[in-house]
Amino acid sequence: MVDLGKGEVPARAVHAKPAGRHSWIALAIVLTAAFMQLIDVSIVNVAVAAIQNGLGASYSQIQWVLAGYTLAFAVLLMAGGRLGDRAGRKRIFLVGMITFTAASLLCGAAGSAELLVVARLLQGLAAALMYPQVYSVIQATVPPERRGVVLGILGGIIGLAAITGPLVGGLLIQADLFGWGWRPIFLVNVPVGILAVLLALRYLPESRAENPGTVDLPGVFLVTASLALIVYPLVQGRELDWPKWLFALMGAGVALLLLFAVYEQYRARSGSSPLVRMSLFRNRSFTGGLVVVILFYGAFLPFFLVFSLYVQAGLGYTALQAGLALVPYALGSAVGSGTSIALAPRLGRPILHLGLALLILGTGATIWVVHRWGTDLHTLQLLPSLVLSGIGFGLTVTPLVTLVLAKVPLDQAGAASGALTTAQQIGSAVGIAVLGTFFFGLLGSHADSVTAAQVPQLKRELVVLKLDEPAADRMIQQYRACFHDRANEKDPAAVPASCQAESNPPGGSSQIQLAAKVADVLQAEATRDLRTDFAEAAERTLFLQVGLFVACFLLVFALPRVRGHELSEFEERSHDTVIIG
């Protein structure tokens, strides 16, 4: 959903229909762009471990690779819709597609984690220019009687991107094309993007809104600066040991958000088009729904970061195995989404409670599986809980925005839907920052307790090798210091000084055979402890995710009760003003 024009002016005011035989080519172009943008969110989830190993990326840099894209997408999304209305949707679409393709090439060629983060930010900004034009072109070129078919196709593409992203990412990394490792997950966009640009130049019609609002550049600057000042400390805090100036930055970010709200009110009173109409926040349904959307997406997207790192960095899964493990979630989501289409008009608001209850149960079941088989987990053991979570997600996400907008006046529905879509991306970015930092922090804080639990067994194994007790104690102390320092290292590729100490047992280099056996025992123990550390961190992070879903469940009670017939009437009345999807 995007803010089409000013939000108050229906997008049907302008139609620039292409010739009949070219209309589906034009739609195919913009739908391909939507698929590229959506799959670039999910495809990276299974690549985080490969990127980390390939570039020596720190944990915070991995968070930026994911959160930077969604954050950049969020801050320019509504402005992207306005730019298309004013400058021409085809023109802005081409600018976005060309930039997105170039940024994908830059991602694939990145020689450092810093360059990859910058390229991902550029990708997000380009997607924010490109994606709103998809909906605008649909409204400007498709007659109302055919629009439902096109929206159905778009909904299928959204589901397909969610299902195929992790799988395609895993396949590309597993294939290791040309020895490029993870890079093809970005480079695959380049030929597709070039073809889309060439076809768009030939077949995509130009269109503009009759009464486009002005682009609120000061508003864009204020919201970008405020979110950057809030998210940067959340991501970098652990790496910088939380100095006081980071908290000052967050305070400045909150202050800029308040200034943004004041400025948007001033802009509305002066007759200019604000980026966000603050009058929307007087609507209980919209305000409550906005909070639910932010919390929901803040809990949902970070799950894939945590899951991917748990099974790959912790359990040693390949990227393909990690992608296959997520297929049940995606399939469950498709089932839930399809079911919600039939159930939402009949149930109204309670469908959100049903979906969230299943999400809570599914995530709780995943926690139990991780707790029961954490270090020896098999993907089949996760299948029931991931399917259940996926169904719950599908039942919730599909009707969520529609139910929130159902009580919003129709002339504000476009602006409200744009704000909600932006809130989805902001929630995702902040969620990755918060839950990612929580997860990485747990890896370090629980390292000592993990190794302490294994000391008796490790000592027995060393004594069996004929190592005397004092020597065994020294080896264990050295091992625990090394494991602790590695778990707390900001850069996972770095080797702490404690791990570089002499590992041979007392007696000198003559006891080579004994030293090799000791090294084997310590390496096996490190593997077990690493698995345990990742499993415990994932388990506790999932508990936090459950808490966020429970908060969403309770907040839904505060939303106005929407009856089924009201929901159907809203969807029917709103097709020309706001796209529901």
Side-chain angles (χ1 to χ4, degrees), residues 150-188:
V150 177
L151 293 179
I153 295 172
L154 180 59
I157 286 173
I158 293 171
L160 185 64
I163 293 172
T164 60
L167 205 53
V168 170
L171 285 169
L172 288 173
I173 295 170
Q174 185 81 8
D176 193 20
L177 299 174
F178 310 108
W180 290 347
W182 53 269
R183 298 178 187 276
I185 69 169
F186 297 112
L187 295 176
V188 72

Side-chain angles (χ1 to χ4, degrees), residues 296 299-300 356 359-360 363 545-554:
F296 180 76
F300 162 67
L356 287 165
L359 255 176
I360 292 166
T363 309
Q545 185 188 33
V546 168
L548 291 174
F549 286 140
V550 169
C552 291
F553 185 93
L554 297 175

Side-chain angles (χ1 to χ4, degrees), residues 32 53 193 241 288 298 429 452 466 514 563:
T32 298
N53 293 331
D241 294 323
K466 308 301 183 184
L514 177 59
R563 297 177 176 85

Side-chain angles (χ1 to χ4, degrees), residues 487-508:
N488 286 276
E489 182 63 54
K490 309 306 187 292
D491 180 358
V495 180
S498 58
C499 299
Q500 299 171 354
E502 178 61 47
S503 60
N504 289 341

Side-chain angles (χ1 to χ4, degrees), residues 59-195:
Y59 288 134
S60 64
Q61 287 168 334
I62 286 297
Q63 287 174 273
W64 280 117
V65 168
L66 296 174
Y69 179 88
T70 55
L71 190 64
F73 182 72
V75 297
L76 200 59
L77 181 62
M78 286 189 288
R82 297 265 173 83
L83 283 169
D85 288 344
R86 289 182 63 83
R89 289 149 186 164
K90 175 179 178 177
R91 179 180 298 175
I92 298 302
F93 175 84
L94 285 169
V95 170
M97 177 60 81
I98 292 170
T99 307
F100 188 89
T101 303
S104 297
L105 178 61
L106 190 59
C107 285
S112 66
E114 292 83 0
L115 183 57
L116 179 59
V117 170
V118 171
R120 284 287 283 173
L121 289 168
L122 184 60
Q123 256 194 331
L125 293 173
L129 293 176
M130 181 173 63
Y131 194 65
Q133 315 320 318
V134 174
Y135 293 95
S136 298
V137 168
I138 289 173
Q139 285 194 317
T141 62
V142 180
E145 63 272 14
R146 294 170 56 195
R147 200 168 291 156
V149 175
V150 177
L151 293 179
I153 295 172
L154 180 59
I157 286 173
I158 293 171
L160 185 64
I163 293 172
T164 60
L167 205 53
V168 170
L171 285 169
L172 288 173
I173 295 170
Q174 185 81 8
D176 193 20
L177 299 174
F178 310 108
W180 290 347
W182 53 269
R183 298 178 187 276
I185 69 169
F186 297 112
L187 295 176
V188 72
N189 289 332
V190 176
V192 178
I194 291 172
L195 180 60

Side-chain angles (χ1 to χ4, degrees), residues 508-526:
S509 58
S510 61
Q511 299 187 13
I512 296 176
Q513 189 175 7
L514 177 59
K517 290 180 179 179
V518 170
D520 288 342
V521 168
L522 293 178
Q523 181 58 49
E525 183 61 36

Side-chain angles (χ1 to χ4, degrees), residues 20 28 36 84 162 266 278 293 333 350 405 409 419 434 477 495 498:
M36 288 175 64
Y266 162 76
M278 304 310 294
V293 164
S333 175
L405 294 177
V434 174
Q477 184 178 8
V495 180
S498 58

Side-chain angles (χ1 to χ4, degrees), residues 178-268:
F178 310 108
W180 290 347
W182 53 269
R183 298 178 187 276
I185 69 169
F186 297 112
L187 295 176
V188 72
N189 289 332
V190 176
V192 178
I194 291 172
L195 180 60
V197 168
L198 294 176
L199 291 175
L201 287 169
R202 173 68 178 84
Y203 295 108
L204 193 64
E206 184 60 281
S207 67
R208 293 177 174 83
E210 285 183 346
N211 300 296
T214 56
V215 180
D216 182 8
L217 292 179
V220 171
F221 171 78
L222 285 173
V223 76
T224 301
S226 62
L227 291 174
L229 288 172
I230 292 171
V231 173
Y232 177 82
L234 293 174
V235 174
Q236 297 295 138
R238 176 180 176 271
E239 187 169 304
L240 298 174
D241 294 323
W242 298 103
K244 292 180 180 179
W245 60 267
L246 283 184
F247 294 97
L249 285 184
M250 283 192 280
V254 172
L256 278 184
L257 270 183
L258 295 174
L259 180 60
F260 170 74
V262 171
Y263 174 76
E264 294 300 288
Q265 287 180 317
Y266 162 76
R267 194 173 174 89

